[in-house]
Amino acid sequence: MKENLIIVPLGGANDNEKNLAFLSKQRLDKVIELKEIHKKKYDIKIVLSGGFGHFNVTNETHSKIQEKYLLDNGVLESFISYGNTNSFSKIEDTVDEAIALYNEINSFNSDFYKATKIIIVTSLYHLPRSKYLMETVCNKNKSNHFKELNVIGCDPIPLKSNLNDGGIDFINHKKIKKDFPNLWEKFMGTFSKRQMEALNKYEEISLTKLKENPYGKWLEFLNKI
């Protein structure tokens, strides 16, 4: 009998024409690769993440745009899921995704509740904070039933546009190369000073100071569970 595996590509971005950014495609390509590697041992569900926000201003959720990419690249619909609590389809940032993960692994009817392994897929630059957030919620889950969580990064991103137009549209489709004098540090670094304060020293920071950024709701979430 096969064990259950959940793979979650964290949400990325898409343009106004519903074209996925390079980083989003890279995460989904990694998911396809992982599905093929693990399909003999596990029953697999790919749970998609992403709603609306600065990363997606279309009339369709980012997760639905992800789904189309997977279907177009040979993934059967039976592998694709949105979870059971509807949390992942509403996310606006990685904090929301961590909270969604917590909701799912503590929902008795969720595929996450039955999973023996969960793999979170993100970009390499995004790995440190994603790993912190996802591992924190899993360590605080009330059910203690699944065996393993892995948070993995994709391959390093190229630093030049494949279009040879001087742009880096696959990193941020609204910016051009000249706007990023420290491109490597911005996208391949770890935490900013603000993130370090919010994540590791949250007990010293008031809600007033945090409420204007996503880590304000992270503090509120940690105080509730």
Side-chain angles (χ1 to χ4, degrees), residues 139-205:
N139 289 337
K140 290 181 175 290
N141 90 86
K142 299 171 184 175
S143 50
N144 268 339
H145 53 280
F146 69 84
K147 297 177 183 177
E148 185 178 354
L149 171 75
N150 295 137
V151 185
I152 66 172
C154 299
D155 294 333
I157 56 175
L159 293 181
K160 293 183 180 179
S161 171
N162 292 331
L163 301 176
N164 294 318
D165 62 357
I168 51 169
D169 55 290
F170 53 83
I171 296 174
N172 184 330
H173 64 277
K174 296 180 180 179
K175 297 287 186 179
I176 58 175
K177 194 172 183 180
K178 66 181 178 61
D179 295 319
F180 292 99
N182 299 310
L183 183 64
W184 181 262
E185 288 80 1
K186 181 174 179 65
F187 287 99
M188 303 301 286
T190 56
F191 294 104
S192 69
K193 181 179 178 181
R194 178 184 61 82
Q195 289 168 341
M196 286 294 289
E197 286 181 344
L199 292 175
N200 296 331
K201 299 180 181 179
Y202 60 85
E203 70 279 0
E204 300 174 7
I205 303 174

Side-chain angles (χ1 to χ4, degrees), residues 19-222:
N19 299 306
L20 289 170
F22 176 87
L23 291 177
S24 296
K25 291 180 181 179
Q26 191 184 40
R27 295 175 191 182
L28 294 173
D29 289 341
K30 187 68 174 180
V31 166
I32 295 170
E33 176 188 331
L34 290 169
K35 180 183 76 69
E36 291 302 305
I37 290 172
H38 294 293
K39 67 182 181 182
K40 290 184 179 180
K41 182 178 179 181
Y42 293 97
D43 285 326
I44 298 172
K45 285 294 182 183
I46 300 168
V47 177
L48 300 178
S49 176
F52 302 101
H54 67 279
F55 56 91
N56 174 30
V57 295
T58 72
N59 61 357
E60 193 168 30
T61 63
H62 180 70
S63 51
K64 277 292 183 183
I65 298 170
Q66 288 178 314
E67 178 180 12
K68 184 178 185 303
Y69 182 86
L70 291 176
L71 294 173
D72 288 345
N73 284 274
V75 177
L76 298 178
E77 189 174 357
S78 59
F79 284 97
I80 298 172
S81 173
Y82 291 90
N84 295 69
T85 66
N86 201 31
S87 299
F88 277 105
S89 295
K90 298 177 180 178
I91 71 99
E92 296 181 4
D93 50 54
T94 316
V95 168
D96 282 342
E97 287 175 313
I99 295 172
L101 177 61
Y102 181 84
N103 292 337
E104 290 286 343
I105 62 179
N106 287 290
S107 174
F108 180 76
N109 295 320
S110 173
D111 291 328
F112 286 80
Y113 192 91
K114 306 166 190 174
T116 51
K117 185 173 184 175
I118 300 171
I119 301 177
I120 307 292
V121 179
T122 189
S123 303
L124 191 58
Y125 81 90
H126 194 237
L127 185 61
R129 56 185 176 275
S130 298
K131 188 174 176 65
Y132 168 83
L133 293 166
M134 303 305 163
E135 288 182 349
T136 296
V137 298
C138 285
N139 289 337
K140 290 181 175 290
N141 90 86
K142 299 171 184 175
S143 50
N144 268 339
H145 53 280
F146 69 84
K147 297 177 183 177
E148 185 178 354
L149 171 75
N150 295 137
V151 185
I152 66 172
C154 299
D155 294 333
I157 56 175
L159 293 181
K160 293 183 180 179
S161 171
N162 292 331
L163 301 176
N164 294 318
D165 62 357
I168 51 169
D169 55 290
F170 53 83
I171 296 174
N172 184 330
H173 64 277
K174 296 180 180 179
K175 297 287 186 179
I176 58 175
K177 194 172 183 180
K178 66 181 178 61
D179 295 319
F180 292 99
N182 299 310
L183 183 64
W184 181 262
E185 288 80 1
K186 181 174 179 65
F187 287 99
M188 303 301 286
T190 56
F191 294 104
S192 69
K193 181 179 178 181
R194 178 184 61 82
Q195 289 168 341
M196 286 294 289
E197 286 181 344
L199 292 175
N200 296 331
K201 299 180 181 179
Y202 60 85
E203 70 279 0
E204 300 174 7
I205 303 174
S206 68
L207 282 173
T208 302
K209 184 176 180 181
L210 282 171
K211 69 180 181 180
E212 294 181 357
N213 68 63
Y215 298 100
K217 60 188 170 188
W218 177 243
L219 174 58
E220 292 176 357
F221 167 72
L222 290 179

Side-chain angles (χ1 to χ4, degrees), residues 3-15:
E3 296 180 317
N4 297 310
L5 167 65
I6 302 289
I7 307 175
V8 183
L10 296 188
N14 55 265
D15 65 18

